[in-house]
């Protein structure tokens, strides 16, 4: 027992002794008034004071001491400890039992108070965390609005430019480029938000197939190349001659590396040098993305992979985002059984991000030539084919119809399910592009009804919806549709799929894209 604990025990049990001595002295003083009445009242007081100040152990000690003192000094003053009067013995026993019960109740009360105080502390912590989260949410909403406005502003200006009658060809091309780039930025923000929400709900799934990391790097570099060019960075890619196989999701791994490359571009001043390299270390493949940019302070490196984390000094950067990119990188890497880490010597010293993934054993590469995302629009669409576009958002329906008309399709539009059913009878479409969230009858129901009619010429039905994810895509297939595309749709990819189906060159693949 340490000295401090010993001293604390002496103090607490000292209270028992002091209060008992005090009670005895007071009782003896009061003897001329009380005589033999109420011999133990003051001892109750000593037990309760001791319990209050010293706790249960000292209170029991006070109870025992009080019993002995009462027997010795009050009931039989100046005689022995032996009590021979039965009534006195009973009175002593009752005092003892009542004292013990009082201590037990006191103990219970103290325990409850302790628990209550603990709960209060937990509640206070929770409420402070809640208000922190609330504050973070407000900050995030402000940031989100800011990040959404950033691409919206040039789109609006570009549209105003398009309204000018005297716009030249060169300017037109520039405006188109701007709109496309800013739109891609908007899509990226929305995709990141959806990805993070999927992670938080534990719904992120990855495909597991052999993937050559060299291909992943190649695609990621291509994705980041426009930004690199824009910011005059040079890129150096170091890959081995032989394939580096890992088991995983090609698209998601590309997302990891393109996020890292995009960050390297964003956080490196113009004209920087960016490197990406693969190395094999034991049973791992490591990919390093190195830049000579603004670097990251040591203390900021710890939480950098958390959602919404941004290094303050970077907020001023024109390219800063929502603080989701690295969180997504970590989540995807971990879903692949890998790890991601960061190293930087500090501000101004550049950064190095390392992704380590387990190497695949005995790989038999999958034949991935059938993947929908690699389909190209090289297939010509037979002219005169009929497409019915069903969407309650008039602008969405009309712009899509305009594009299809340009490409030689006969188009028709419906804005809700009932009208769509009528149009099916009138125009006998080859393809129906069907929004899911329609007013009244939803897209799935419309599709089920069309399939139930068992038409002589069954149209291809393609869901085009704001909702993505496996379960939604499955519902689409269950409703008898052929494909599920998530808005905003890449029209050339959609037309490539349609062309292959309509020319009969593709097997009847039912797939989901999200
Ligand atoms: P975002 O770029 O949208 O802010 P990220 O999650 O991708 O979010 O990155 C989080 C933060 O990490 C960034 O805000 C930036 O401060 C810092 N960061 C990421 N990559 C780099 C890098 N290559 N160099 C310097 N800082 C970086």
């Amino acid at each position: 027992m340490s000295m401090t604990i010993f001293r604390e025990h002496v103090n607490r049990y000292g209270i028992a002794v002091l209060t008992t001595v005090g009670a005895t002295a007071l009782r003896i003083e009061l003897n001329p008034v009380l005589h033999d009445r109420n011999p133990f009242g003051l001892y109750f007081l000593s037990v309760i004071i001791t319990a209050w100040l010293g706790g249960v152990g000292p209170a029991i000690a006070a109870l025992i001491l009080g019993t002995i003192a009462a027997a010795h000094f009050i009931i039989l003053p100046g005689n022995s400890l032996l009590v021979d009067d039965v009534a006195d013995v009973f009175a002593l026993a009752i005092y003892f039992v009542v004292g013990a019960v009082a201590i037990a109740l006191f103990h219970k009360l103290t325990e409850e108070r302790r628990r209550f105080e603990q709960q209060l502390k937990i509640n206070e912590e929770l409420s402070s965390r809640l208000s922190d989260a609330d504050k973070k949410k407000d900050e995030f909403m402000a940031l989100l609005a800011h990040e959404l406005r950033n691409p919206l502003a040039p789109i609006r200006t570009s549209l105003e430019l398009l309204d000018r009658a005297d716009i030249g060809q060169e300017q037109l091309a520039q405006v188109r480029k701007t709109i496309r780039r800013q739109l891609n930025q908007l899509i990226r923000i929305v995709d990141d938000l959806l990805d993070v929400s999927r992670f938080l709900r534990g719904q992120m799934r990855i495909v597991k197939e052999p993937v050559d990391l060299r291909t992943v790097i190649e695609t990621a570099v291509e994705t980041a190349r426009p930004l690199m060019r824009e910011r005059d960075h040079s890129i150096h890619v170091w890959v081995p001659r032989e394939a580096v196989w890992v088991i995983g999701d090609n698209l998601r791994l590309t997302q990891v590396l393109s996020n890292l490359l995009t960050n390297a571009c964003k956080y490196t001043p113009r004209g920087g040098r960016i490197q990406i390299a693969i190395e094999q270390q034991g049973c791992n493949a490591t990919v390093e993305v190195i830049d000579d940019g603004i670097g990251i302070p040591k203390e900021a490196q710890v939480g950098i992979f958390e959602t919404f984390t941004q290094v303050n000094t970077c907020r001023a950067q024109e390219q800063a985002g929502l603080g989701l990119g690295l969180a997504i990188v970590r989540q995807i890497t971990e879903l692949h059984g890998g790890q991601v880490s960061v190293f930087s010597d500090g501000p101004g010293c550049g950064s190095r991000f390392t992704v380590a993934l387990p190497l695949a054993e005995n790989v038999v590469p999958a034949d991935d030539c059938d993947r929908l995302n690699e389909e190209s629009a090289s297939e010509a669409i037979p002219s005169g084919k009929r497409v019915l576009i069903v969407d309650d958002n008039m602008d969405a329906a009309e712009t899509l119809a305009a594009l299809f008309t340009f490409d030689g399709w006969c188009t028709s539009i419906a804005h809700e399910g009932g009208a769509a059913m009528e149009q099916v009878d009138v125009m006998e479409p080859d393809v129906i592009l069907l929004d899911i969230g329609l007013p009244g009858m939803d897209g799935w129901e419309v599709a089920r009804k069309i399939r139930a009619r068992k038409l002589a010429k069954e149209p291809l039905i393609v869901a085009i919806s704001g909702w993505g994810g496996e379960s939604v895509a499955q519902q689409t297939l269950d409703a008898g549709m052929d494909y599920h595309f998530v808005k905003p749709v890449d029209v050339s990819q959609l037309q490539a799929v349609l062309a292959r189906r309509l020319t009969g060159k593709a097997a009847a693949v039912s797939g989901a894209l999200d």
Side-chain angles (χ1 to χ4, degrees):
M1 196 193 299
S2 79
M3 211 47 206
T4 342
I5 299 180
F6 178 71
R7 231 180 266 134
E8 194 199 310
H9 270 68
V10 170
N11 285 346
R12 285 171 58 219
Y13 282 88
I15 297 170
V17 176
L18 277 180
T19 53
T20 313
V21 170
T24 310
L26 194 61
R27 183 61 185 79
I28 292 172
E29 281 298 311
L30 292 173
N31 221 17
V33 187
L34 292 176
H35 304 292
D36 59 353
R37 267 189 241 152
N38 199 2
F40 310 116
L42 287 170
Y43 290 110
F44 278 124
L45 200 62
S46 96
V47 169
I48 286 172
I49 291 174
T50 312
W52 178 263
L53 298 175
V56 172
I60 294 172
L63 181 65
I64 295 169
L65 287 177
T67 312
I68 296 170
H72 189 63
F73 296 109
I74 315 297
I75 302 174
L76 304 163
N79 286 333
S80 71
L81 274 178
L82 292 173
V83 181
D84 48 10
D85 185 327
V86 178
D88 288 341
V89 173
F90 265 111
L92 255 184
I94 289 170
Y95 158 71
F96 193 82
V97 170
V98 172
V101 171
I103 292 172
L105 287 177
F106 197 87
H107 177 59
K108 202 161 174 261
L109 213 71
T110 328
E111 279 295 294
E112 251 156 41
R113 198 185 61 187
R114 202 175 51 79
R115 260 202 299 274
F116 176 73
E117 277 169 0
Q118 253 175 9
Q119 194 57 49
L120 210 67
K121 222 162 131 197
I122 294 173
N123 286 355
E124 271 166 15
E125 256 169 47
L126 282 179
S127 108
S128 114
R129 256 194 267 164
L130 210 66
S131 70
D132 277 356
D134 203 41
K135 202 168 136 228
K136 240 180 159 180
K137 187 203 76 191
D138 286 346
E139 283 169 6
F140 174 71
M141 294 306 275
L143 188 60
L144 182 59
H146 171 263
E147 289 306 313
L148 289 175
R149 253 193 216 125
N150 265 349
L152 285 177
I155 291 179
R156 174 184 256 182
T157 323
S158 302
L159 285 174
E160 274 171 27
L161 266 173
L162 286 180
D163 284 342
R164 304 280 159 92
D166 51 351
I167 185 169
Q169 279 306 315
E170 208 174 297
Q171 259 180 320
L172 201 62
Q174 187 59 39
V175 166
R176 266 203 223 105
K177 214 167 112 192
T178 308
I179 294 183
R180 187 163 295 130
R181 196 173 45 228
Q182 298 303 330
L183 189 70
N184 284 340
Q185 176 66 9
L186 277 175
I187 293 174
R188 213 178 76 98
I189 293 174
V190 175
D191 282 349
D192 278 1
L193 286 171
L194 285 175
D195 278 349
V196 166
S197 124
R198 266 184 218 142
F199 281 128
L200 294 179
R201 287 177 291 142
Q203 285 182 349
M204 175 64 86
R205 305 256 180 283
I206 53 164
V207 178
K208 296 214 164 166
E209 59 186 11
V211 177
D212 180 0
L213 276 183
R214 295 175 314 162
T215 329
V216 175
I217 288 188
E218 204 179 307
T219 323
V221 169
E222 277 322 304
T223 313
R225 204 179 283 285
L227 190 55
M228 282 181 199
R229 226 175 266 141
E230 195 180 299
R231 296 178 66 83
D232 284 337
H233 296 315
S234 63
I235 170 91
H236 304 264
V237 183
W238 313 97
V239 290
R241 277 180 205 287
E242 298 79 36
V244 182
W245 294 108
V246 296
I247 299 293
D249 191 315
N250 201 341
L251 287 180
R252 292 293 181 190
L253 289 174
T254 308
Q255 190 181 1
V256 166
L257 298 187
S258 70
N259 276 8
L260 293 179
L261 284 172
T262 308
N263 277 352
C265 289
K266 287 189 330 190
Y267 302 111
T268 298
R270 216 160 253 290
R273 178 184 158 90
I274 295 166
Q275 302 177 66
I276 183 163
I278 307 184
E279 250 186 62
Q280 299 198 28
Q281 292 177 341
C283 36
N284 276 339
T286 58
V287 183
E288 290 193 325
V289 178
I290 305 165
D291 64 60
D292 57 356
I294 62 171
I296 305 162
K298 290 271 181 224
E299 64 280 5
Q301 291 172 27
V302 189
I304 204 165
F305 295 101
E306 301 294 324
T307 18
F308 309 131
T309 300
Q310 294 185 309
V311 182
N312 281 340
T313 51
C314 299
R315 256 335 291 163
Q317 294 285 314
E318 58 191 289
Q319 298 281 353
L322 288 171
L324 298 178
L326 288 182
I328 292 174
V329 164
R330 183 175 70 178
Q331 299 274 16
I332 296 179
T333 309
E334 288 179 356
L335 275 178
H336 283 83
Q339 276 176 339
V340 58
S341 54
V342 59
F343 176 82
S344 169
D345 266 331
C349 301
S351 312
R352 183 174 71 223
F353 285 85
T354 309
V355 176
L357 294 164
L359 281 165
E361 293 162 9
N362 308 323
V363 167
V364 184
D367 177 11
D368 57 356
C369 57
D370 252 357
R371 290 189 62 108
L372 284 173
N373 57 8
E374 285 171 17
E375 299 203 44
S376 77
S378 58
E379 213 74 61
I381 297 154
S383 67
K385 289 281 180 191
R386 288 185 286 265
V387 59
L388 169 62
I389 297 164
V390 190
D391 199 321
D392 58 330
N393 181 327
M394 301 210 186
D395 286 342
E398 276 161 19
T399 45
L400 201 56
L403 259 184
F404 273 78
T405 311
F406 262 122
D407 291 338
W409 292 71
C410 298
T411 57
S412 180
I413 294 177
H415 296 304
E416 44 86 31
M421 305 286 295
E422 282 167 23
Q423 286 286 334
V424 169
D425 293 334
V426 177
M427 80 176 288
E428 296 183 358
D430 300 284
V431 176
I432 303 176
L433 303 179
L434 189 53
D435 182 25
I436 298 294
L438 294 170
M441 189 172 11
D442 66 30
W444 291 314
E445 188 153 3
V446 176
R448 263 191 294 272
K449 288 207 162 134
I450 294 173
R451 290 298 185 223
R453 286 186 182 173
K454 304 239 173 293
L455 299 170
K457 193 182 93 185
E458 285 286 2
L460 258 184
I461 310 185
V462 180
I464 295 190
S465 167
W467 302 105
E470 271 173 40
S471 66
V472 175
Q474 191 56 49
Q475 262 177 288
T476 295
L477 298 183
D478 292 346
M481 293 196 236
D482 301 272
Y483 294 101
H484 186 99
F485 278 75
V486 177
K487 289 178 184 175
V489 174
D490 178 336
V491 178
S492 47
Q493 191 186 38
L494 169 64
Q495 289 192 342
V497 172
L498 297 179
R500 293 186 71 185
R501 283 296 298 269
L502 293 175
T503 50
K505 287 193 183 163
V509 195
S510 286
L513 295 176
D514 76 346

